[in-house]
């Protein structure tokens, strides 16, 4: 879908703890939220849902909860490695977050994943079909 890199943000726009949320259109026309998380040497991008329950967003609009280089699911506490997306504990143990390809060049993060197209910064509005959440936990 993407014909070339699409500028998303400066690396400095991605919080050191938390996430930067944006929305993409996938090849099938559906929309999906994606989070950028800061790594010691760059950024990683993951689709914004827990592998245990795909209707559970990791970033609900105020940044994903993170601890010691891991992204936490706010419902069950599963912890995903921010670099690899792999979960080794909790209800999502053995699962890996869905990666979205990005690059960093001269301090600018760009979407390079040919399977999706950047739509806008921020998440999908709940009245646009994004499932709500049944949890009110925050970290």
């Amino acid at each position: 879908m993407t014909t070339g890199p699409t500028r998303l943000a400066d690396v400095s726009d991605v919080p050191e703890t938390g996430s930067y949320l944006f929305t993409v259109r996938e090849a099938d026309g559906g929309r999906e939220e994606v989070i950028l998380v800061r790594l010691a040497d760059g950024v990683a991008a993951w689709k914004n849902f827990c592998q245990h329950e795909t209707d559970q967003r990791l970033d609900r609009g105020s940044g994903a909860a993170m601890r010691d280089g891991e992204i936490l699911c706010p419902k069950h506490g599963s912890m995903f490695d921010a670099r690899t997306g792999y979960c080794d504990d909790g209800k999502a143990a053995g699962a890996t977050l869905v990666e979205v390809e990005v690059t960093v060049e001269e301090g600018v993060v760009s979407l390079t994943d040919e399977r999706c197209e950047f739509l806008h910064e921020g998440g999908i509005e709940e009245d646009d079909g994004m499932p709500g959440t049944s949890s009110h936990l925050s970290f």
Side-chain angles (χ1 to χ4, degrees):
M1 290 190 66
T2 302
T3 58
T6 302
R7 184 189 186 287
L8 296 172
D10 291 335
V11 171
S12 62
D13 294 330
V14 181
E16 289 187 29
T17 301
S19 58
Y20 178 94
L21 180 66
F22 65 98
T23 300
V24 298
R25 182 181 332 276
E26 297 186 305
D28 67 2
R31 290 179 292 168
E32 190 70 61
E33 291 181 352
V34 178
I35 58 173
L36 292 176
V37 294
R38 182 89 68 102
L39 306 173
D41 60 350
V43 297
W46 307 105
K47 290 191 178 178
N48 187 28
F49 58 85
C50 178
Q51 294 299 295
H52 173 63
E53 287 186 24
T54 58
D55 66 340
Q56 293 303 315
R57 295 181 292 168
L58 301 169
D59 179 337
R60 297 177 180 167
S62 59
M66 294 188 68
R67 184 180 327 143
D68 299 326
E70 295 187 305
I71 305 164
L72 285 81
C73 172
K75 184 167 184 184
H76 294 111
S78 293
M79 298 173 67
F80 298 87
D81 183 286
R83 177 175 300 285
T84 65
Y86 183 75
C87 179
D88 64 2
D89 72 347
K91 294 194 177 199
T96 302
L97 296 174
V98 178
E99 184 176 17
V100 174
E101 296 172 16
V102 295
T103 59
V104 176
E105 190 172 313
E106 297 182 16
V108 175
V109 183
S110 296
L111 177 66
T112 55
D113 198 315
E114 294 182 5
R115 301 167 296 176
C116 52
E117 167 188 11
F118 176 79
L119 289 179
H120 59 80
E121 183 177 331
I124 300 170
E125 301 297 322
E126 285 201 28
D127 62 356
D128 284 340
M130 183 66 180
T133 180
S134 60
S135 174
H136 300 288
L137 296 176
S138 63
F139 296 90

